[in-house]
Amino acid sequence: MDGMLIVNNLAGLLIVTSLLVICANRVATAAWFYVLQSLTLVGVFLALAITQGSHELTLWAASAFVTKVVLAPLILIKLLGPLPDDHELIGLLGPAWMAVLAALIVLVSWYAVDAVRLAVVAQLKPALAVSLGHFLLGLACIVTSRNILKQIFGYCLMENGAHLTLALMAGKAPEVVEIGIATDAVCAVLIMALLARRIHRTLQTLDVRQLTALKG
């Protein structure tokens, strides 16, 4: 099978795993679906590395495995798993409506990417559309969720989408760029998880509608 076709097909699986993360109603379940998504992202990086002969992308895949498959989910499960608001993780939109929204987002992303005329992504436009759609789907998760925990997962989805876009368009970027991105993501997840714990300890809720007490 053509390497570019493998990359595009694997990228398509990211949308499916995003929906699984968004529709999960427990932190541990969402974290395990995020692990599955991150493994898929590592597979995309490896397929790109082999297809393009890029050793940089091989190192990207290795660092993504450590940070996204191991460290970030571990932080999410250890710090957020014990919090008692798991039953409130479902957002304003149910699974069926989220699937419809995801389809619309991917369609809009495809039309946006179709206008791109860069040789580097000439055969990877489906994957590029998915990366943009993935970012927007993470944003939709944040906007449609009232629970801080699910909003953290939305950020993780946005970060994976941005990460894929960079890999597709700048696969030859120095390894230090990938290390910086990976470290940034883990630190952001750690800080947000600690803040969520502190908010729950102080206000006994993770519902963003109840955070008006933080004003002033």
Side-chain angles (χ1 to χ4, degrees):
M1 185 183 291
D2 180 75
M4 296 299 183
L5 183 59
I6 294 175
V7 171
N8 289 326
N9 287 337
L10 285 175
L13 289 177
L14 293 176
I15 295 295
V16 177
T17 53
S18 289
L19 286 173
L20 293 175
V21 171
I22 293 172
C23 295
N25 59 3
R26 295 187 62 84
V27 168
T29 305
W32 280 113
F33 284 139
Y34 177 73
V35 168
L36 178 60
Q37 177 176 110
S38 298
L39 281 172
T40 304
L41 187 64
V42 169
V44 172
F45 290 164
L46 287 175
L48 277 172
I50 295 171
T51 301
Q52 299 179 359
S54 171
H55 74 279
E56 292 91 349
L57 281 170
T58 303
L59 295 176
W60 279 38
S63 65
F65 181 86
V66 173
T67 56
K68 296 176 179 295
V69 178
V70 179
L71 292 181
L74 186 62
I75 291 171
L76 292 169
I77 292 174
K78 290 295 184 182
L79 293 182
L80 302 183
L83 297 180
D85 280 352
D86 287 356
H87 63 284
E88 298 178 5
L89 282 186
I90 296 298
L92 298 176
L93 299 179
W97 282 110
M98 283 304 305
V100 172
L101 180 60
L104 291 174
I105 286 175
V106 171
L107 184 62
V108 170
S109 299
W110 171 254
Y111 278 110
V113 168
D114 192 45
V116 176
R117 294 292 181 263
L118 296 176
V120 68
V121 292
Q123 294 180 281
L124 294 171
K125 284 189 177 181
L128 187 59
V130 166
S131 70
L132 176 58
H134 201 273
F135 182 90
L136 295 175
L137 197 54
L139 181 60
C141 176
I142 294 175
V143 172
T144 61
S145 177
R146 297 177 299 221
N147 188 288
I148 296 173
L149 306 187
K150 185 54 71 70
Q151 291 182 345
I152 293 175
F153 281 104
Y155 164 82
C156 292
L157 299 182
M158 290 176 65
E159 197 277 331
N160 274 357
H163 203 162
L164 178 58
T165 301
L166 182 62
L168 292 171
M169 303 189 72
K172 295 291 186 178
E175 295 86 341
V176 68
V177 174
E178 160 60 18
I179 293 172
I181 295 171
T183 304
D184 241 11
V186 172
C187 289
V189 169
L190 177 60
I191 291 170
M192 287 188 291
L194 290 173
L195 284 174
R197 287 175 63 91
R198 177 62 63 89
I199 289 171
H200 185 271
R201 185 181 306 139
T202 303
L203 301 176
Q204 300 302 310
T205 183
L206 289 171
D207 190 334
V208 294
R209 296 171 299 175
Q210 305 300 319
L211 301 186
T212 53
L214 298 178
K215 292 182 179 179

